[in-house]
């Protein structure tokens, strides 16, 4: 079964293709902004999910304070489009990146993160190049074991080093608590804050992260802002985390069934080069097919999605166009040069994924 | 430890970045062409790995008969660059794709695959649009359970349907045997060939696939050509399959260590948006770090590679640039708009990944 809209999109653009429903996008933007407002925490959406200046500006127009980027190349695209309040939530270092960061500072109010002295030393080069002070937050690890200093004592020492570095301003702390780690995060933050205050510093930016953490908005006493990304589109992971419904999933991959060589199996024209091999933290199958929710996207070749239809009462035919909710939408959008915008049953047009592939 | 070349590349281009050694690329091209020549099988390299017309032309100049593409968008890029013998080894169907395939036929000698009558019926539209006959091979499943008719009887019936379809020419068979499935593949092919011959048809193209199958070159009696892809760059999977050495791995991801928050761990600036979550069929870790072969790339966030250094005698420092052999190079190249070319220690320049992101 192919919906009339899917048939039209396949005819106009071909498959596989990402389709976003702008009504849902706007609803997602408004809902999370309202939640931030009610929690008294500013919203600083992470644009890694959509990589689109147009959508970032919609988020800001709805009330977001600024945006978050993970890569300097993403920030360049956003600054070029006129967005002027940008946090790069990442350790940046090296000559090439510092020249670019310095140039970015002349276009936008930039804040960057650091978790070690080597990065802090490097950041002074960007500040020197721009001639403007650069705001730096200390990234704190509160259980995720990714980046981030591991103890409040290290956080305090790094904050002091930032404050003592020519051209750098200590701006505060960046945390990304695990879903169950907010008590520890509070303890870490309180101790780090007391420590920097004892040295005459203060934290004006205290930033927490993650769309799954939207259910914990405001839980960190002292947080000034939150960095949710995925909420603009949502996906199977967000539904699994209990922060979105299926109806909130604004992006679908439209894919054609190209083979049905066996009764219990089929092949989609979307493989790992479209949906990626990201399991979304161990979800069963590689996406939910709206027309055939019992079908399992069992595995991938690069351009083949292997459909296991053993448990399906209804089975697609060759030529059917199906709609898939991906496991992890952020990495899927990153595969596309553009997405198709719709409103309900109406095709609006193409939206470029302008910061796609900005790996560096 | 950062090699002098890695330091120069990081300074000039930033990290993470893909770097290909053209000396190794040329050696890989020559070696596999020689193997095909010796086996008496034409080489039709799959460009899904490099997605570059320049490299495709080098493969043809070395003796390849033509190229293989998986997507019509890839074929468009290659035909635009002047390559005129293209197999799209994929079931194509639908109005939008048939218009494009018809247009492609005016630029290049096209052959496409089919495994079902719906696809064959659709292909007649492309032939009608172009006014030129379109060559079609029957894709046969010989154990992989991907696309492909499951029995010789189906193959024969589909071949006859192709031959009976206005504008289509039955060209032969396409197979992709599993590494251990060549006896079954031979049986399947012999029976299918006898069947089509009994109906006055013949197979002029008999195509086998896969770089791991290079060790089985010529094993299928009657094969006219082979479609290896990955051999131009190689990766951990190919080394694991016994068809390449580490020294044959022509592409490395250069990545900077950006965090060392714990003694036993570190963070690379290459995550799943660079190296992808493809495990390469279940390899341990997400790549081999040449400078620290005992280090394990344990998991990914989108822009973070989590380094487990517990078993490492030597541990990188923040700022070190390391070279990574990816698990599966084809999906990694697909993340990049360009790769840096080097020859030994010399930087040659940037090569665009021209057909990157051609999902459709």
């Amino acid at each position: 079964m192919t919906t009339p809209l899917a048939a039209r999109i396949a005819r106009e653009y071909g498959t596989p293709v990402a389709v976003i429903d702008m009504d849902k996008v706007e609803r997602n933007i408004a809902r999370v902004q309202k939640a931030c407002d009610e929690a008294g925490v500013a919203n600083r959406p992470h644009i890694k999910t959509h990589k689109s200046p147009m959508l970032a500006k919609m988020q800001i127009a709805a009330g977001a304070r600024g945006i978050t980027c993970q890569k300097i190349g993403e920030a360049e695209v956003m600054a070029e489009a006129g967005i002027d309040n940008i946090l790069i939530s990442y350790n940046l270092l090296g000559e090439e990146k510092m020249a670019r960061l310095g140039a970015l500072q002349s276009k936008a109010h930039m804040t960057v993160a650091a978790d070690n002295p080597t990065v802090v030393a490097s950041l002074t080069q960007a500040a020197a190049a721009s001639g403007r002070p650069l705001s730096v937050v200390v990234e704190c690890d509160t259980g995720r074991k990714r980046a981030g200093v591991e103890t409040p004592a290290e956080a305090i020492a790094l904050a002091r080093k930032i404050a003592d570095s020519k051209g750098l301003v200590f701006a505060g702390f960046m945390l990304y608590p695990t879903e169950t780690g907010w008590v520890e995060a509070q303890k870490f933050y309180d101790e780090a804050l007391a420590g920097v205050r004892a040295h005459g510093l203060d934290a004006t930016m205290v930033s927490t992260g993650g769309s799954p953490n939207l259910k914990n908005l405001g839980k960190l006493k002292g947080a000034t802002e939150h960095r949710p990304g995925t909420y603009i589109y949502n996906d199977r992971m967000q539904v699994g985390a209990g922060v979105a419904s299926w109806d909130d999933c604004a992006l679908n991959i439209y894919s054609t069934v190209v083979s049905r060589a066996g009764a219990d199996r089929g092949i989609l024209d979307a493989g790992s080069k479209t949906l990626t091999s990201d399991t979304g933290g161990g979800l069963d199958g590689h996406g939910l097919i709206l027309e055939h929710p019992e079908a399992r996207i069992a595995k991938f070749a690069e351009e083949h999605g292997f459909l296991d239809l053993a448990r399906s009462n209804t089975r697609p035919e060759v030529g059917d166009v199906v709609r898939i909710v991906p496991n992890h939408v952020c990495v899927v959008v990153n595969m596309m040069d553009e997405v198709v915008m719709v409103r309900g049953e109406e095709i609006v047009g193409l939206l470029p994924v302008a910061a796609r592939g900005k790996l560096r």
Side-chain angles (χ1 to χ4, degrees), chain A residues 321-338:
Chain A
V321 179
V322 297
R323 296 164 302 162
I324 304 164
V325 179
N327 283 354
H328 185 188
V329 73
C330 309
V331 290
V332 174
V333 172
N334 187 49
M335 310 307 282
M336 320 275 162
D337 289 325
E338 73 263 312

Side-chain angles (χ1 to χ4, degrees), chain A residues 236 271-272 275-280 283-289 295-300 305-306 324-328 332:
Chain A
R236 278 180 96 200
S272 66
L275 285 163
T276 87
S277 301
D278 196 316
T279 61
L283 292 167
D284 182 53
H286 287 281
L288 175 79
I289 300 177
R296 192 164 169 272
I297 305 176
K299 63 174 185 171
F300 288 133
F306 288 64
I324 304 164
V325 179
N327 283 354
H328 185 188
V332 174

Side-chain angles (χ1 to χ4, degrees), chain A residues 33-90:
Chain A
Q33 186 61 48
K34 184 159 175 276
C36 289
D37 292 347
E38 286 173 0
V41 172
N43 185 21
R44 184 184 288 281
H46 206 312
I47 61 79
K48 65 165 185 146
T49 305
H50 56 68
K51 292 184 173 246
S52 155
M54 186 189 91
L55 295 182
K57 287 179 180 178
M58 285 169 59
Q59 291 171 311
I60 290 168
R65 169 173 293 177
I67 61 167
T68 308
C69 297
Q70 205 74 326
K71 291 279 173 166
I72 201 162
E74 294 173 338
E76 286 168 341
V77 170
M78 297 295 150
E80 188 60 42
I83 292 173
D84 65 358
N85 187 333
I86 302 176
L87 165 66
I88 302 181
S89 51
Y90 205 85

Side-chain angles (χ1 to χ4, degrees), chain A residues 19-357:
Chain A
V19 178
I20 60 172
D21 187 315
M22 291 302 290
D23 290 336
K24 294 188 184 186
V25 165
E26 288 171 5
R27 206 174 64 201
N28 291 338
I29 289 174
R31 187 180 58 247
V32 166
Q33 186 61 48
K34 184 159 175 276
C36 289
D37 292 347
E38 286 173 0
V41 172
N43 185 21
R44 184 184 288 281
H46 206 312
I47 61 79
K48 65 165 185 146
T49 305
H50 56 68
K51 292 184 173 246
S52 155
M54 186 189 91
L55 295 182
K57 287 179 180 178
M58 285 169 59
Q59 291 171 311
I60 290 168
R65 169 173 293 177
I67 61 167
T68 308
C69 297
Q70 205 74 326
K71 291 279 173 166
I72 201 162
E74 294 173 338
E76 286 168 341
V77 170
M78 297 295 150
E80 188 60 42
I83 292 173
D84 65 358
N85 187 333
I86 302 176
L87 165 66
I88 302 181
S89 51
Y90 205 85
N91 281 336
L92 298 176
L93 79 165
E95 208 174 298
E96 187 260 357
K97 288 199 168 43
M98 290 308 110
R100 293 162 66 192
L101 182 57
L104 262 177
Q105 273 194 279
S106 65
K107 291 188 185 151
H109 175 233
M110 300 298 304
T111 306
V112 297
D115 82 349
N116 67 72
T118 308
V119 165
V120 170
S122 189
L123 291 175
T124 61
Q125 298 168 24
S130 72
R132 295 174 63 180
L134 177 64
S135 296
V136 184
V137 289
V138 171
E139 180 166 8
C140 303
D141 179 71
T142 48
R144 210 167 281 266
K145 297 293 169 199
R146 197 166 78 171
V149 295
E150 289 194 323
T151 64
E154 290 174 274
I156 297 160
L158 197 62
R160 294 182 66 194
K161 183 173 171 67
I162 292 164
D164 289 345
S165 297
K166 190 168 157 58
L168 304 188
V169 176
F170 169 69
F173 300 105
M174 187 175 89
L175 307 91
Y176 190 178
T178 61
E179 282 182 56
T180 54
W182 289 74
V183 172
E184 294 87 334
Q186 187 75 56
K187 194 165 166 293
F188 191 120
Y189 165 65
D190 288 345
E191 204 174 322
L193 181 68
V196 299
R197 284 188 171 162
H199 289 96
L201 301 172
D202 207 355
T204 53
M205 180 190 286
V206 180
S207 172
T208 56
S211 287
N213 270 329
L214 284 169
K215 60 182 161 222
N216 296 314
L217 260 188
K219 211 177 244 184
L220 187 84
K221 302 283 172 289
T224 63
E225 48 183 68
H226 190 67
R227 314 181 301 279
T230 318
Y231 78 97
I232 191 167
Y233 288 152
N234 291 310
D235 55 21
R236 278 180 96 200
M237 279 174 89
Q238 302 305 308
V239 174
V243 294
S245 71
W246 291 116
D247 194 44
D248 298 329
C249 293
L251 182 145
N252 293 157
I253 296 297
Y254 285 42
S255 172
T256 301
V257 177
V258 294
S259 175
R260 282 296 317 281
D264 282 350
R265 61 191 188 85
I267 295 291
L268 297 173
D269 66 359
S272 66
K273 281 180 174 170
T274 299
L275 285 163
T276 87
S277 301
D278 196 316
T279 61
L283 292 167
D284 182 53
H286 287 281
L288 175 79
I289 300 177
L290 295 178
E291 288 80 1
H292 302 279
E294 338 77 39
R296 192 164 169 272
I297 305 176
K299 63 174 185 171
F300 288 133
E302 288 162 51
E303 307 289 6
H304 297 77
F306 288 64
L307 275 183
D308 174 359
L309 302 170
R311 289 173 302 183
S312 294
N313 293 321
T314 64
R315 299 180 181 197
E317 293 176 8
V318 170
D320 279 6
V321 179
V322 297
R323 296 164 302 162
I324 304 164
V325 179
N327 283 354
H328 185 188
V329 73
C330 309
V331 290
V332 174
V333 172
N334 187 49
M335 310 307 282
M336 320 275 162
D337 289 325
E338 73 263 312
V339 298
V340 175
M341 295 181 288
V342 301
R343 280 191 190 276
E345 297 302 304
E346 182 203 349
I347 298 174
V348 176
L350 284 174
L351 176 70
V353 184
R356 189 217 62 74

